[in-house]
Amino acid sequence: MIETIPNPDVQDLLDDRLEQLLEALGRRFPSVSLEPVQKAWRVACKAHAGQTRKSGEPYISHPLAVAEILAGFGLDPAAIAAALMHDVVEDTSISTDKIRKEFGDEIATLVQGVTKISEIEAREMMPENLKEAAAEAESLRRLLLATVDDLRVILIKLADRLHNMQTLGSLSPARRKRMALETLEIYAPLANRLGIWQFKSEFEDLALAELEPKAVEMIKTVLAGRQEEHDRLLSEAMSELEARLRETGVEPTLRTRAKHMHSIWRKMERKELHADEILDVLALRVLVDTIGDCYSALGVVHSLWQPIEGEFDDYIAKKKPNLYQSLHTTVLGPGKQPLEVQIRTKAMHEVAEYGVAAHWMYKENARLSEEVQEQIAALRRRLESHDEDAPDALAFVEGLKTDVFRDQVYVFTPRNRVIELPVGATPIDFAYHIHTEVGHRCRGATVDGRMVPLNTPLQTGQVVRIVTAKGDAVGPSRDWANPSLGFVVSNRGRAKIKQYFRRQAHGEAIRSGREVLEQQLRKLGMTKVKHERVAQLFGSDSLDDFLVHVGRQEITSQSITQRLLEAEAEAEAAARGDTIKPARRELPTARERPEGHAGVMVFGADEIESRVARCCNPLPGEPAVGHLTRSRGVTLHHAECQNIAKAREREPERFIQVEWKEKDPQTVPVELRIFAIDRSGLVRDITDVISRLDLHMTGFGAIRRDSQGMAIISAIVELGSHAQLVDLIDKLEAVKNVVHVRRPRG
């Protein structure tokens, strides 16, 4: 803008335009005070006094033109007042707070919303390449919508952009091209989503004229050469169709409809045609009173001219997400030339031309009724990501309902690329979104040029720069994985950090597991046993997987020793041909049990030495029988122990009744078999249950049955009573994926 001396004659002309604007508003909103509009004009004139546009016009002519465009769309006086002042905060010393004090919250919020969008525009984010621009379009449109809560802000911005596009001539070629790209990829799709066809079409044609001037001139030349013939054919078609419609009782309004340059150019590009090969440029629009008249008119059109197969769309029965409704058909009209016909009611036409803005056209005050608000909310919900009228641009945002965007923040890279992140996202989330390695090497960050802690929540519109470290050993901090510290909130960031530590730990776990296994084999004198054989004893086909479990202590050294001894005993029994399973060779434990009395009362001989059988380990309180051995006194077995079943039949006199004493309780090792559907963390959850009950675990092993997806886990736990056993089983069966828990009997 340039400072200049005001021209009284020009100011008079501008004042006259304002009077016409006020008269139009007065007719549309007879019960609403227009004082805010008049006051806004005075504020804007004073704020922009002496400023001119590049064309040399007084700058105030631009906000006035924006207000006139919006008045034509029926927007309310509050929006018109905001339009008149939409540049004062950005370009003058007047603040939003001052506007709020003078005009109230509604108008101030509208001005503030437009200012936010202007600040985003000022970054000049759009790449000069058309394909790159399309790739950025979705994020930029999302960002614009995320900054506003009132659709009128978007309407003011669309009108502002339209007037700027209409007056591009005085700008530099580079600036014109950039504005044309932004308009084509951001603002035309926005207008289409709001259903404002007038904005959309003019945006596209103005942008195309700047980006493809030669193509536009060629199309104009071809169309000019056909103009006389086209006028004759359209006149003939209108006369014939109007007469036939009136015969059927339909009172139509017929209009010719010029095909827009952009739609012709797109068809040329899509079908690789020259301009003079595009034949279907004839178009009519039929406006009627009712929906029934629409379908009657369609029947008349198809009876007059042959329909072209595949060229009929019923947007009345299935309205578009932007509320557009119409019947579309293409026929072979007069001269066998393709003729496009659109049929709609007059009310449908208002919505088609003005979209959401049409809702303000019939209101006499600035507040919308609940019904209209619900219509707008429904429009927002129903917006689709696919844009039929812009297939070359990436899919647009799911909907215009701004509440959706409150779950996201939109920040910039130093090169003005827009990054979408969840609310609460931090610089670390930002770094991992850019690239995994950037995340791993992140050691600091600046936000809007200032260093901030890495767990600082980001806000929409901020510029984020990541400081990275160099070196091969650089990686994320373990603190980042702690949810309570707030370093990472995005799923992507969490997954990348978890993956990093899992990979780092994998190799270390294998090395540690191999050391443990070799140590246990040396202790047992089994150094010739192959490592793969031990892995198979635990149901693992992969040695590395088995070693990882050992290295992470999910399989303990004690359980390795126990399983090896069991396998050795089973092999010896098989070699002898034994049919009875041999007694288990128990592991030494850190808590040694005292020898001698087992805490039972043997009827008739209380002082006889007694021991608990290692094969079934009966617990105090469980049904037990005493086996009178020849040299070791009484051995206590569980009443259901299978190892003594046949002996009780052969020598019943050697088995006596026993009863547990209530004093001097002892703990005994009890084996439990846990059957569960295998999952990550299963072993950890099971051991957590045992630990929380303050029980001592002396052995642990796991067998995975791949064919059934079932894990069979063996745990040996020191227990002092049957009640403890029942409690433990109940809690283990409550663990996720555990099917049941069983205690082997001998």
Side-chain angles (χ1 to χ4, degrees):
M1 291 178 289
I2 303 170
E3 298 292 334
T4 186
I5 299 173
N7 185 323
D9 294 334
V10 173
Q11 189 65 44
D12 288 343
L13 291 174
L14 294 174
D15 289 339
D16 288 342
R17 287 169 57 185
L18 176 70
E19 287 302 319
Q20 294 175 22
L21 174 65
L22 292 171
E23 289 176 7
L25 287 173
R27 289 192 298 270
R28 191 176 300 280
F29 300 94
S31 61
V32 179
S33 171
L34 300 182
E35 171 57 25
V37 178
Q38 295 169 315
K39 186 176 179 180
W41 171 251
R42 293 192 295 269
V43 169
C45 285
K46 183 177 180 180
H48 294 299
Q51 297 177 346
T52 63
R53 307 187 79 207
K54 293 288 187 181
S55 62
E57 296 177 290
Y59 191 82
I60 190 63
S61 64
H62 168 64
L64 178 58
V66 173
E68 289 171 332
I69 292 170
L70 294 172
F73 277 78
L75 258 69
D76 55 289
I80 302 303
L84 289 171
M85 298 186 294
H86 77 270
D87 277 335
V88 298
V89 174
E90 181 183 6
D91 295 338
T92 76
S93 61
I94 295 179
S95 66
T96 303
D97 288 340
K98 184 174 181 180
I99 294 177
R100 180 168 282 105
K101 183 177 179 180
E102 296 290 330
F103 292 89
D105 287 340
E106 181 180 17
I107 293 175
T109 300
L110 293 174
V111 174
Q112 186 178 37
V114 180
T115 303
K116 286 183 181 179
I117 295 178
S118 298
E119 290 171 353
I120 294 169
E121 276 187 323
R123 296 180 181 276
E124 297 192 341
M125 300 164 292
M126 293 298 290
E128 294 185 4
N129 180 276
L130 190 60
K131 290 185 178 179
E132 291 180 4
E136 290 292 325
E138 177 182 7
S139 294
L140 295 175
R141 291 191 294 252
R142 286 175 181 251
L143 174 62
L144 292 181
L145 290 167
T147 63
V148 302
D149 291 315
D150 192 320
L151 284 176
R152 288 175 295 177
V153 172
I154 296 294
L155 295 175
I156 294 171
K157 191 61 209 178
L158 291 176
D160 171 61
R161 175 51 63 114
L162 180 59
H163 186 248
N164 283 332
M165 288 297 295
Q166 291 169 342
T167 55
L168 273 181
S170 58
L171 301 181
S172 68
R175 181 59 182 153
R176 292 201 304 268
K177 181 179 180 181
R178 186 172 294 279
M179 285 192 67
L181 275 172
E182 289 177 353
T183 300
L184 190 62
E185 297 297 339
I186 299 176
Y187 292 103
L190 273 177
N192 180 61
R193 290 297 171 168
L194 289 168
I196 308 175
W197 184 263
Q198 285 191 356
F199 277 167
K200 172 187 179 295
S201 301
E202 194 165 356
F203 277 149
E204 290 176 338
D205 285 353
L206 289 169
L208 184 67
E210 188 60 44
L211 298 171
E212 301 287 345
K214 292 182 179 179
V216 170
E217 286 303 317
M218 179 179 63
I219 294 171
K220 286 182 177 179
T221 300
V222 171
L223 293 180
R226 299 179 183 175
Q227 190 64 48
E228 186 175 342
E229 180 188 6
H230 287 173
D231 290 345
R232 179 181 61 79
L233 292 174
L234 285 172
S235 178
E236 181 181 339
M238 289 178 67
S239 298
E240 190 173 358
L241 179 57
E242 183 174 15
R244 186 66 66 86
L245 287 172
R246 293 188 186 281
E247 289 176 7
T248 62
V250 176
E251 294 295 328
T253 298
L254 273 68
R255 299 175 182 173
T256 60
R257 185 175 64 86
K259 290 272 283 192
H260 290 278
M261 292 290 173
H262 187 262
S263 63
I264 295 174
W265 176 77
R266 274 185 47 216
K267 192 165 189 177
M268 290 168 54
E269 290 286 297
R270 188 170 62 249
K271 296 188 176 183
E272 299 183 351
L273 300 173
H274 189 271
D276 57 14
E277 296 178 282
I278 302 293
L279 300 178
D280 53 338
V281 295
L282 303 179
L284 286 179
R285 181 171 291 133
V286 181
L287 305 182
V288 295
D289 294 325
T290 67
I291 292 178
D293 289 346
C294 289
Y295 289 99
S296 297
L298 177 67
V300 171
V301 170
H302 284 177
S303 67
L304 273 176
W305 302 298
Q306 179 184 345
I308 296 177
E309 187 176 355
E311 295 295 325
F312 170 69
D313 292 294
D314 185 347
Y315 296 119
I316 293 178
K318 186 179 180 181
K319 71 173 68 173
K320 287 189 175 184
N322 59 9
L323 303 183
Y324 177 88
Q325 288 184 287
S326 186
L327 298 176
H328 291 188
T329 187
T330 303
V331 296
L332 292 177
K336 297 298 181 180
Q337 292 292 312
L339 173 66
E340 290 185 0
V341 183
Q342 294 179 351
I343 306 169
R344 62 181 68 146
T345 66
K346 295 180 176 67
M348 291 175 188
H349 181 64
E350 291 296 313
V351 173
E353 292 296 297
Y354 301 106
V356 170
H359 292 302
W360 278 275
M361 297 184 70
Y362 305 104
K363 307 309 297 177
E364 292 188 357
N365 55 61
R367 294 188 176 277
L368 302 178
S369 68
E370 291 184 6
E371 180 181 358
V372 173
Q373 289 176 6
E374 177 54 34
Q375 284 182 282
I376 294 175
L379 167 62
R380 290 169 171 175
R381 289 192 298 268
R382 294 171 55 194
L383 290 175
E384 300 173 330
S385 60
H386 176 66
D387 191 338
E388 294 177 321
D389 297 310
D392 295 330
L394 292 184
F396 184 37
V397 63
E398 182 183 357
L400 281 177
K401 188 172 184 181
T402 53
D403 285 348
V404 173
F405 299 104
R406 294 194 181 109
D407 293 333
Q408 305 292 321
V409 293
Y410 300 83
V411 294
F412 294 97
T413 69
R415 295 185 178 182
N416 284 329
R417 177 186 168 197
V418 180
I419 302 298
E420 179 182 343
L421 297 167
V423 164
T426 67
I428 296 176
D429 292 302
F430 175 92
Y432 277 109
H433 187 96
I434 298 299
H435 194 278
T436 300
E437 280 302 310
V438 176
H440 288 344
R441 296 175 179 274
C442 175
R443 287 300 176 269
T446 64
V447 174
D448 292 338
R450 293 188 298 177
M451 291 294 296
V452 298
L454 289 177
N455 57 355
T456 301
L458 300 175
Q459 304 296 324
T460 291
Q462 292 178 328
V463 179
V464 184
R465 184 188 300 272
I466 299 299
V467 179
T468 57
K470 296 181 180 180
D472 295 335
V474 175
S477 166
R478 289 194 177 274
D479 285 344
W480 297 358
N482 186 340
S484 64
L485 298 180
F487 281 104
V488 181
V489 302
S490 65
N491 290 332
R492 177 188 178 93
R494 289 196 187 103
K496 293 297 182 183
I497 294 168
K498 184 177 180 181
Q499 183 183 67
Y500 175 88
F501 285 116
R502 187 186 301 119
R503 288 177 177 174
Q504 292 293 311
H506 188 76
E508 181 60 33
I510 289 177
R511 287 190 294 272
S512 177
R514 183 173 283 108
E515 290 176 2
V516 170
L517 176 59
E518 290 175 349
Q519 183 183 43
Q520 297 308 110
L521 290 174
R522 284 195 300 270
K523 284 183 178 180
L524 296 172
M526 298 181 177
T527 54
K528 293 184 179 181
V529 175
K530 292 184 177 181
H531 294 181
E532 289 79 6
R533 171 57 182 159
V534 183
Q536 290 171 359
L537 291 176
F538 283 83
S540 178
D541 295 328
S542 167
L543 175 59
D544 281 353
D545 288 349
F546 169 70
L547 293 176
V548 166
H549 287 302
V550 176
R552 293 175 180 170
Q553 297 183 349
E554 293 171 352
I555 297 177
T556 64
S557 58
Q558 292 95 331
S559 63
I560 293 174
T561 299
Q562 177 180 315
R563 190 69 190 94
L564 286 168
L565 292 175
E566 286 179 355
E568 182 185 54
E570 289 167 3
E572 292 174 357
R576 294 194 304 269
D578 291 350
T579 57
I580 299 177
K581 183 178 178 181
R584 300 167 61 90
R585 290 175 61 181
E586 294 296 339
L587 299 175
T589 67
R591 187 187 306 171
E592 294 291 343
R593 294 181 299 275
E595 292 293 330
H597 203 281
V600 297
M601 179 183 295
V602 180
F603 288 97
D606 189 34
E607 298 302 321
I608 297 178
E609 181 183 16
S610 60
R611 289 179 172 81
V612 173
R614 300 286 180 90
C615 59
C616 57
N617 288 323
L619 282 171
E622 290 188 319
V625 295
H627 180 209
L628 293 172
T629 66
R630 290 181 173 84
S631 60
R632 295 175 59 85
V634 176
T635 302
L636 301 178
H637 290 263
H638 194 284
E640 298 178 7
C641 179
Q642 297 300 311
N643 282 344
I644 61 170
K646 291 184 178 180
R648 291 178 71 177
E649 294 177 2
R650 293 195 307 267
E651 302 176 295
E653 68 280 1
R654 299 183 65 84
F655 290 86
I656 61 176
Q657 182 180 0
V658 297
E659 183 177 286
W660 294 99
K661 290 182 178 180
E662 295 183 0
K663 60 180 180 178
D664 299 328
Q666 303 290 333
T667 59
V668 296
V670 175
E671 181 185 7
L672 296 176
R673 293 282 175 87
I674 303 163
F675 297 80
I677 300 170
D678 201 14
R679 65 171 173 83
S680 175
L682 177 63
V683 170
R684 181 197 63 230
D685 292 347
I686 288 172
T687 56
D688 281 350
V689 168
I690 297 171
S691 176
R692 285 197 301 269
L693 292 174
D694 197 26
L695 299 175
H696 183 58
M697 185 166 60
T698 61
F700 195 87
I703 302 174
R704 168 85 188 277
R705 290 185 177 176
D706 290 334
S707 61
Q708 303 175 24
M710 184 73 73
I712 304 176
I713 298 170
S714 173
I716 299 176
V717 185
E718 293 275 358
L719 297 174
S721 68
H722 179 67
Q724 272 190 317
L725 172 66
V726 172
D727 183 49
L728 176 58
I729 290 176
D730 286 344
K731 286 183 169 56
L732 288 174
E733 289 186 338
V735 173
K736 180 182 178 183
N737 280 29
V738 171
V739 178
H740 69 275
V741 180
R742 181 171 62 84
R743 181 185 179 192
R745 298 299 185 193

